[in-house]
Amino acid sequence: MPEDPIAPSELAALTRRFEEVAEQHGREFGIIKSDLTAVRLQVGNLDQKVDRLDGRLDALGQQMERNRAQIVELLTQLVGRRPDTY
């Protein structure tokens, strides 16, 4: 049976469309991969900043505890004193 003359042209058109779509998906995949890399770098930078912030917050908490202890000590020293003696 002779080949249908339309079939090869339809096959060629489908092949072309498939290749165009595959190329477009390849470009889009490259863009997504690049964006993902950028996001990973930003997350890494944020992680470092959070670690530094944690250290600062710990130092601030320790300073607050020292100040609180000093206030309690000073108030304890004042208890029982007459107001007119200072």
Side-chain angles (χ1 to χ4, degrees):
M1 176 175 214
E3 269 190 46
D4 184 0
I6 298 174
S9 64
E10 287 178 359
L11 183 59
L14 287 172
T15 301
R16 247 189 336 275
R17 279 193 230 153
F18 175 80
E19 289 170 351
E20 288 171 0
V21 169
E23 185 178 316
Q24 180 180 359
H25 285 293
R27 283 192 305 268
E28 290 172 356
F29 179 75
I31 292 169
I32 291 170
K33 189 175 178 182
S34 173
D35 289 347
L36 181 59
T37 300
V39 168
R40 284 181 177 158
L41 289 173
Q42 289 176 352
V43 167
N45 289 338
L46 287 174
D47 194 35
Q48 290 175 354
K49 288 179 181 180
V50 167
D51 287 343
R52 285 194 302 261
L53 183 60
D54 282 344
R56 289 180 181 175
L57 288 175
D58 289 342
L60 179 61
Q62 291 172 1
Q63 181 64 41
M64 288 173 63
E65 287 297 321
R66 284 192 297 271
N67 289 345
R68 188 176 297 125
Q70 287 177 332
I71 290 169
V72 168
E73 182 180 332
L74 291 171
L75 288 173
T76 302
Q77 291 174 6
L78 290 174
V79 171
R81 290 192 182 177
R82 293 175 41 156
D84 56 351
T85 60
Y86 42 71

